[in-house]
Amino acid sequence: MAMLLRLDEAIAELVGDGDVVALEGFTHLIPVAAGHEIIRARRRDLTLCRMTPDIVYDQLIGAGCARKLVFSWGGNPGVGSLHRFRDAVQHDWPVPLEIEEHSHAGMANRYVAGASGLPFAVLRGYLGTDLPAQTPNIKTIECPFTGERLAAVPALNPDVGIVHAQRADRAGNVQLWGITGVQKETVLASARSLVTVEEIVDELEPVPGAIVLPGWAVTAVAHVPGGSHPSYAQGYSERDNTAYQQWDPIGRDRERFTEWLRASVFEEAGA
Amino acid sequence: MTAAKTTVSRAEICVGACAELFRGDGEILVSPMSTVALIGARLAKLTFEPDLLLTDGEAGLLAEVPVLGEQSEPAREGWLPFRRVFELLAHGRRHVVMGANQVDQYGNQNISAIGEHSRPDRQLLGVRGSPGNTVNHRTSYWVPKHSPRSFVEAVDVVAGVGYDRATGSAGRFHDVYRVVSNLGVFDFDGPQHRMRLVSAHPGVELEEITEATGFPLHIGEFHTTPEPGQEALELIRTRLDPKNLRDREVRA
């Protein structure tokens, strides 16, 4: 049964310096509030994993929380580049950022292998590209049945997997619906997991297309309404497109970003 | 009639050329990644390829073609979430039109980084689906700024696989079809699958293309890219892109 914790307690308890952390979400249900709490907790040297890192990863990287990013696409969706991410990779600001780049399918399959308790995943892809030369985490294997050469990628088993969902019950069973990405696999693959939710309810009414993460597979649940803003939670909120556009000039400039961190993350905590 | 023709913009020619990429594709998923390619795919669906499956950019398959740049709730006819896309693309029933910060004469594509991968001069958005797309199903590229910086001798990081590297398993389903740029249309039917000029857009001189290309382009017989017909122009201008977002991607 998952623990019901406050967000700050959950991050303090679950995320340590140097951990491999995945905050997953796809288009909606992006666990932004949890990312901000990691910044407030001043965690360092994290290896951040995500298929499609967007502005919350830009913020974590700009705040100096990460030493490595494992990803397949990093951008501000519908707007452009992540400038804190670029600054870190190109100029080591505020700290150097190592990158491990995969394809979308490679990342998804790594999570699936991790969730399945298998050591690696196999796929057709990567062969012929320059990526295998950049990381020991892409190898070629021979199919034992046909002899075809294929790519293998190791299971991704984060220390901590963090996702946002619509709701949970008091036993920590979690329900999410709409466009789900690899949240289920992330939670199942991770040693510890945190789910922030819009609402805690007595009973999870069935919703078409919803998935349920059972409480025994989740370490902690935190009640964080609006915790995916500026992305959205289907059935609860709309995407704040303006916020994504407004991020661009903030992210472009180290001073504006530093001021944003102070005003919007550290002071927001109401310390 | 002649007067009407001279008003066809370069962007509209590129939309028509992108639409032509899908001719004969039938009932497959098409994934155009930027404005002009998107209008092209929608134009193809409304005219000669009605069975193309287009998504709303999220997880819905569109039953009708929406107006670009307008908030609307177009009817959806299917549900294709992220994970299903992997199953579908591994099966091959997809044609993607991706962008390319760099493309070379064999069709290798780079959207990862300019310079050294580990310490790039310019970190780009990342390889996204390229390493899987290019070895599993038909892939084309749309490059709105044709220059020696985008059409290069060798790309800095191979994200999408070109013909010289498409060997063994990577070659089984490899099908890099065409490149459309703001100057012309290209395929890989030159010697050893090198890039070949298929057509130059109206008003573009051959010299302009060769000077903007950072490698020797194969020039055999080529033609002038056809302008979209009257019905197609009408659709582009009034139905698909009334706000003229296409001109933001391609300057006249």
Side-chain angles (χ1 to χ4, degrees), chain A residues 10 41 43 65 79 102 122 166 227 229 235-236 257:
Chain A
R43 290 294 181 266
C65 299
V79 180
H102 287 271
V122 62
Q166 278 93 345
H229 179 268
Y236 289 79
F257 170 73

Side-chain angles (χ1 to χ4, degrees), chain A residues 120-202:
Chain A
F120 71 93
V122 62
L123 67 158
R124 181 177 289 107
Y126 290 118
L127 303 184
T129 76
D130 280 336
L131 293 182
Q134 306 298 333
T135 168
N137 283 341
I138 303 168
K139 302 270 193 222
T140 303
I141 57 160
E142 188 173 288
C143 169
F145 307 104
T146 64
E148 183 175 357
R149 293 179 72 75
L150 297 159
V153 285
L156 188 51
N157 291 106
D159 296 308
V160 195
I162 301 176
V163 302
H164 187 75
Q166 278 93 345
R167 58 196 186 191
D169 66 17
R170 291 177 204 288
N173 298 299
V174 170
Q175 188 184 38
L176 63 156
W177 63 90
I179 305 169
T180 53
V182 288
Q183 288 99 328
K184 178 182 75 175
E185 290 79 359
T186 302
V187 166
L188 295 178
S190 298
R192 304 182 291 282
S193 60
L194 166 64
V195 185
T196 57
V197 294
E198 292 291 325
E199 192 179 14
I200 292 182
V201 295
D202 290 326

